[in-house]
Amino acid sequence: MDALINLLKTNARLTNAELAVMLDTDEKTIATCIETLEEKGIIKGYTAIVNDELVDDENVTALIEVKVTPQSQSGFDAIARTIASYEEVEACTLMSGTYDLCVTVSGKNLRDISLFVAQRLAGIEGVLSTATNFVLKRYKDNNIVIIDEETDERGLISP
Amino acid sequence: MIDYDKVIVNAAKEMKPSGIRKFFDIAQKLEGVISLGVGEPDFQTPWKIRQTAIKTLEKGKTTYTGNRGLSELLEEISEYFEDTIGIEYDAEKEIIVTVGGSEAIDISIRAMVEPGDEVLIVEPSFVCYAPMVSLAGGVPVPIATKVENKFRLTAEELKEKITDKTKLLILPFPNNPTGAVMRKKDLDAIADVLKDTNIVVLSDEIYSELTYGEKHCSIAQCEGMRERTIVINGFSKSFAMTGWRLGFLAGPKEIVQHIFKIHQYAIMCSPTTSQYAAIAGLKYCRSDVKKMVDEYNMRRRFVVDGFNKLGLECFSPEGAFYVFPSIKSTGLSSKDFCEQLVYSKKVAVVPGDAFGESGEGFIRVSYAYSVNHLKEALKRIGEFLDEFHNK
Ligand SMILES: Cc1ncc(COP(=O)(O)O)c(C=O)c1O
């Protein structure tokens, strides 16, 4: 299972036949394993890692540090769920350290994002403060180097 | 005018440029070539090893070490042998830290081969053995292994080539380029042949960590063989440290004491920074090696399956990071196959005959590449074969 998950993490487009060969099993077993992983919610989805700069250089992304007052019943969960439900939010994680939630948001421009912070985030009960950090350039994401091709320093042929 | 022809010794003049070199020159001139041609890992040296090197550099630990190597490293290597093949070697008398497995091979041959001595070289194999033997005035005697025997050396093949001039057997397993390994019972059969002779084995076990299936076994483990075997190993392949130039050899002190003198005068000591780094490797990075092996193993299955599906029959290798598919079904020679492939589809693989005549009819494909890279290369080879068969 772990080996299968690791392979899919690096390339979710490997076919079941290819995965079966690499893991020394058959396609049916792979299909069943993947189904189980999906059913159990271990695999939540598959996505492409896109170099946005090449698609639409207007797009902006921000990581917003949010401090909140934990609720007496639900702790951070209720607020985190509310934030996660907004469609502008790409990711929302609970952090240790000087702030509580890290919220990734992207929009068409800076204004989009500041509006989101001012109108949606700041208005949630329990949100104490926010600090918005804009992403300037992505070099690597999900283990994949984005900024330029990784070059192979090795020669073409060696004994 | 200086007569250069008189300057250079005949043994050097007669040394053929490696078959790999010629092909390299062709591939190098083309643009956009993707290669399956390298004999070194695509992984980076584990961080702990690099960090240790940086730290010792910062502290200015950059002087010569003892000739044999740092005592702590020698101790670690001695433990490593005990741990992996269960043989005790005296760290002070029976081990030398060398400049790669390459130096270990060179100085062992120089210590044991005299003009006229015959050296049995199991082929196909790594390119350096025969030239080094010839340089020492020895006579290289190839022993061809066969795909029917999983490219293992058999006792019969060995017996056939032994004469009263035979001095040394070079036994390179896990093998580059075939990926073959020798199991304990195969080694026992070889040991049986050698037991009552004066022949020494030079066992090049540089790929010993990279086996898929059974754990590596050394001929030195066979009864009566420790006293007549020089084991060669190193950090290049297992710890992804090719550029650090560090290897080692071990054997009975009666032989090693003389090999040592050559090392002492020719090299002084192996690179100091690399030696410190290697200590960290043996101490802390064995689990990194395991991870690399798991990754190689997946790629190995992927590539073997890929070639078999393309109709290039591929022996399933059990060690190193190469596959050695047969291209006989195309009717082309190894060289022609590789040249046509690189010109038409820009994929570089190495002709099998670069590793000895018996490699003719095969190509060496390295899987020290990412799966995506392997996939693209296999796709291009598939296109090449389609176009070839439809011509
Ligand atoms: C079988 C074999 N032995 C020895 C070597 C030399 O390795 P190094 O000198 O880097 O230790 C190689 C390198 O390709 C090899 O394939």
Side-chain angles (χ1 to χ4, degrees), chain A residues 159, chain B residues 39 100-102 105 126 129 176 204 206-207 236-237 242 245 322:
Chain B
S102 301
I105 295 164
F126 184 53
Y129 311 123
N176 168 12
D204 183 349
I206 197 106
Y207 293 97
S236 287
K237 317 289 173 168
T242 45
R245 307 311 303 125
Y322 311 101

Side-chain angles (χ1 to χ4, degrees), chain A residues 3-23:
Chain A
L4 177 60
I5 294 173
N6 282 335
L7 275 176
L8 289 172
K9 268 184 170 175
T10 50
N11 185 350
R13 298 200 62 189
L14 290 168
T15 64
N16 287 0
E18 287 164 343
L19 291 165
V21 167
M22 282 192 257
L23 298 173

Side-chain angles (χ1 to χ4, degrees), chain A residues 158-159, chain B residues 38-40 98-105 125-129 172-177 204-207 232-237 241-248 320-322 355 364:
Chain A
S158 67
Chain B
V38 304
E40 57 178 317
T98 55
V99 181
S102 301
E103 189 219 339
I105 295 164
S125 60
F126 184 53
V127 295
C128 84
Y129 311 123
F173 292 97
N175 184 276
N176 168 12
D204 183 349
E205 303 177 15
I206 197 106
Y207 293 97
I232 286 167
N233 211 322
F235 296 91
S236 287
K237 317 289 173 168
M241 290 179 71
T242 45
W244 299 73
R245 307 311 303 125
L246 209 66
F248 48 92
F321 40 60
Y322 311 101
F355 306 94
R364 190 196 72 176

